[in-house]
Amino acid sequence: MNPESHSIAFGPFSLDLASDCLRRDGGPISLRPQAFRALKALVSHSGRHLDHEQMIRQAWDGVLVSKHTVTVTIGEVKRILGEYGAWISCHPRLGYCLEVPESEDLLRTGWHFLNRRTREDLEKALACFERAAEETGAETRALEGIAHAYLLLGVYAIRAPRDSYPHFLAAHRKVVERHGYTPALRVDRALGLHSFEFRFEEAEAQLLLAQEAQPRFAEVYVRLAMLYVSWNRMDQALDMLAQARAADVLGPPLAMAEILVHFCRREFELAAECGRKVLELHPYLQTVLTFHANALEFCGLFELALDQYRKASALAPDLPWHRAMEGACLARMGRMREAAEMLALLRRKQRTEYVDGYHLSLLLEAMGRREEAFVELMRAEKDDCPTLSMLAVDPKMDNLRLDPRFSELQKRLFQKHHLLSEPASAA
């Protein structure tokens, strides 16, 4: 443990040393002060045995207590840890020991990769979670990681949605069957309902249940904001942004949502200003860079937009939709040769990896190749591309929106997904 650290993490738990509080998945767990000190001693010497005398020095500050007292206290700790109490063992001659399985390192590494949001890192995250599941017999947290990884692989257009989304649903269902719904699991299910199935009412219901269970969970309000944007309920989206800021003003999800909400409200200058402020706090979030670039482009600041697109592509060169946006910007600047080179690069990528049709259609439209653009939009429809959930409100689609085939596409999506209320098209 870093001596300057104020917490010690182990598995799904953390010991908050500043408040002498045990937390599991961020939520506090009631624990007697003496039991907390005993657990702290075990965690601080993880993998090593502490005999009776060492436990007294570490957890009772040298005050002599009986072996029975130590045994009872350790038993209390094991009960508090629930299914993870088995990590604490007792050897008659060596004493007590807390051993965290190797799978815990895999889980922690998986979540680290997951937060980086590139193709390579998300694939690495999935591999970590799948190895952890093999080692633990598909333990709940490993399945939750698998589900979340597959969800993001689809949302970020890294794998074809028809491939990734069924895997998400299968893993997510197993977690819920074993553990029940948590707010985080509801948020993931809502994202799937919103982005892949276009079942907006059901997505809203899941998010409202998550909000009721954990009112200070900022991501709930961010997801509601994004849902209401897709639904063209823009004032409600703004209300949700305000509540997300009250819960966590510095969170990266809020950063992305603020830009996108204002962008879809056609408040391009405000979206660009939001992007500038956000990037002062989060300069290396590639999706924020791309959303900021969208806003700059619609403000007519093409050179600045191109710079942001290229920074995003440099941070995540393996995400094709960043490249498609960069190519579309080049085309609008009249730099057709460079745009054509970008299109050729993406076509080559299509031979070995998934390139989503939604963003490719925007590049083709910017190059004046509308027929091919609609071919790609039809492919996006066939693939259940999650970005289609934004089709009714995305300003980037405004040129294509003028074509009769666009409204036909919207109507088919409405009928296919049986939306109870059809999202209104943006003006």
Side-chain angles (χ1 to χ4, degrees):
M1 179 190 65
N2 184 339
E4 297 182 357
S5 175
H6 295 294
S7 66
I8 313 174
F10 64 106
F13 302 97
S14 66
L15 291 174
D16 188 331
L17 305 183
S19 61
D20 286 354
C21 177
L22 173 66
R23 299 181 184 279
R24 177 170 178 173
D25 296 324
I29 299 175
S30 177
L31 189 65
R32 281 192 311 116
Q34 186 54 63
F36 180 90
R37 289 193 287 272
L39 177 56
K40 177 185 173 184
L42 291 170
V43 174
S44 299
H45 298 80
S46 181
R48 290 178 284 168
H49 285 84
L50 294 177
D51 61 23
H52 178 67
E53 292 181 357
Q54 290 170 318
M55 282 296 299
I56 288 174
R57 285 199 301 272
Q58 293 285 332
W60 276 265
D61 295 327
V63 176
L64 188 62
V65 296
S66 68
K67 289 186 178 180
H68 176 72
T69 298
V70 175
T71 299
V72 169
T73 304
I74 296 299
E76 179 184 348
V77 170
K78 293 182 70 170
R79 286 194 300 276
I80 290 293
L81 297 183
E83 67 268 36
Y84 303 100
W87 291 356
I88 299 176
S89 61
C90 178
H91 190 284
R93 293 185 179 180
L94 299 176
Y96 296 96
C97 180
L98 183 144
E99 293 184 279
V100 179
E102 182 182 350
S103 59
E104 291 301 314
D105 288 334
L106 287 170
L107 290 172
R108 185 170 298 182
T109 302
W111 286 105
H112 169 75
F113 284 132
L114 205 68
N115 289 328
R116 296 175 63 171
R117 301 292 199 268
T118 67
R119 176 187 296 272
E120 181 182 6
D121 288 315
L122 286 174
E123 294 286 5
K124 285 181 178 178
L126 178 60
C128 285
F129 294 134
E130 288 178 334
R131 282 177 54 201
E134 290 174 5
E135 293 185 11
T136 61
E139 189 257 348
T140 299
R141 288 177 303 128
L143 287 173
E144 188 173 356
I146 289 171
H148 199 65
Y150 273 117
L151 183 63
L152 293 186
L153 284 166
V155 166
Y156 280 82
I158 293 171
R159 289 195 184 184
R162 287 181 175 272
D163 168 50
S164 60
Y165 192 56
H167 288 291
F168 159 73
L169 289 174
H172 187 274
R173 189 179 301 113
K174 289 179 182 177
V175 176
V176 172
E177 287 171 355
R178 296 182 185 188
H179 188 62
Y181 263 115
T182 64
L185 289 170
R186 289 194 186 281
V187 168
D188 277 0
R189 184 67 185 104
L191 179 56
L193 289 165
H194 169 198
S195 298
F196 295 93
E197 301 182 51
F198 303 172
R199 291 156 63 182
F200 293 174
E201 286 87 356
E202 292 176 56
E204 182 186 36
Q206 288 289 343
L207 290 168
L208 292 176
L209 286 169
Q211 176 195 19
E212 182 181 353
Q214 194 171 335
R216 298 289 296 174
F217 191 7
E219 192 165 353
V220 171
Y221 301 107
V222 169
R223 291 299 172 198
L224 278 167
M226 301 296 284
L227 173 64
Y228 291 146
V229 165
S230 293
W231 221 336
N232 207 9
R233 291 159 61 172
M234 297 295 182
D235 290 342
Q236 285 179 279
L238 282 182
D239 290 342
M240 291 304 104
L241 286 182
Q243 294 194 53
R245 277 193 295 273
D248 183 8
V249 72
L250 298 178
L254 171 62
M256 291 182 277
E258 282 193 303
I259 303 170
L260 193 59
V261 168
H262 290 298
F263 180 70
C264 291
R265 286 172 60 91
R266 270 60 179 176
E267 298 166 346
F268 302 128
E269 291 184 3
L270 185 52
E273 179 60 17
C274 282
R276 186 189 65 77
K277 291 179 179 178
V278 163
L279 288 169
E280 290 178 355
L281 296 171
H282 306 287
Y284 303 113
L285 291 179
Q286 63 266 22
T287 304
V288 170
L289 285 162
T290 299
F291 288 173
H292 185 216
N294 291 161
L296 289 170
E297 193 175 346
F298 274 71
C299 289
L301 302 172
F302 292 99
E303 290 290 349
L304 290 176
L306 183 61
D307 179 63
Q308 297 294 287
Y309 286 130
R310 286 178 167 171
K311 285 179 180 177
S313 293
L315 288 169
D318 52 3
L319 292 185
W321 66 278
H322 289 314
R323 298 287 192 175
M325 291 291 87
E326 180 184 338
C329 183
L330 286 165
R332 294 187 193 101
M333 295 171 72
R335 295 163 64 170
M336 287 298 179
R337 182 183 60 80
E338 293 168 88
E341 289 172 355
M342 188 65 71
L343 177 61
L345 170 67
L346 292 171
R347 291 300 192 195
R348 288 195 298 273
K349 281 183 175 290
Q350 277 186 284
R351 299 170 190 166
T352 56
E353 61 191 64
Y354 181 69
V355 177
D356 78 283
Y358 188 97
H359 290 93
L360 204 52
S361 74
L362 294 171
L363 170 54
L364 288 161
E365 170 63 16
M367 295 176 68
R369 297 162 67 166
R370 178 161 294 184
E371 293 302 316
E372 293 173 75
F374 270 98
V375 169
E376 290 299 330
L377 269 183
M378 298 309 107
R379 181 168 67 87
E381 178 189 9
K382 181 180 178 181
D383 289 345
D384 291 329
C385 180
T387 323
L388 286 172
S389 64
M390 303 293 293
L391 189 71
V393 295
D394 187 353
K396 299 190 299 296
M397 282 286 168
D398 282 353
N399 285 341
L400 288 167
R401 203 182 308 279
L402 301 173
D403 192 297
R405 288 172 290 184
F406 190 91
S407 47
E408 292 170 5
L409 170 60
Q410 278 192 284
K411 187 177 296 185
R412 285 198 305 274
L413 290 172
F414 170 72
Q415 294 170 343
K416 178 179 179 181
H417 295 284
H418 307 291
L419 289 171
L420 298 180
S421 57
E422 186 173 5
S425 294

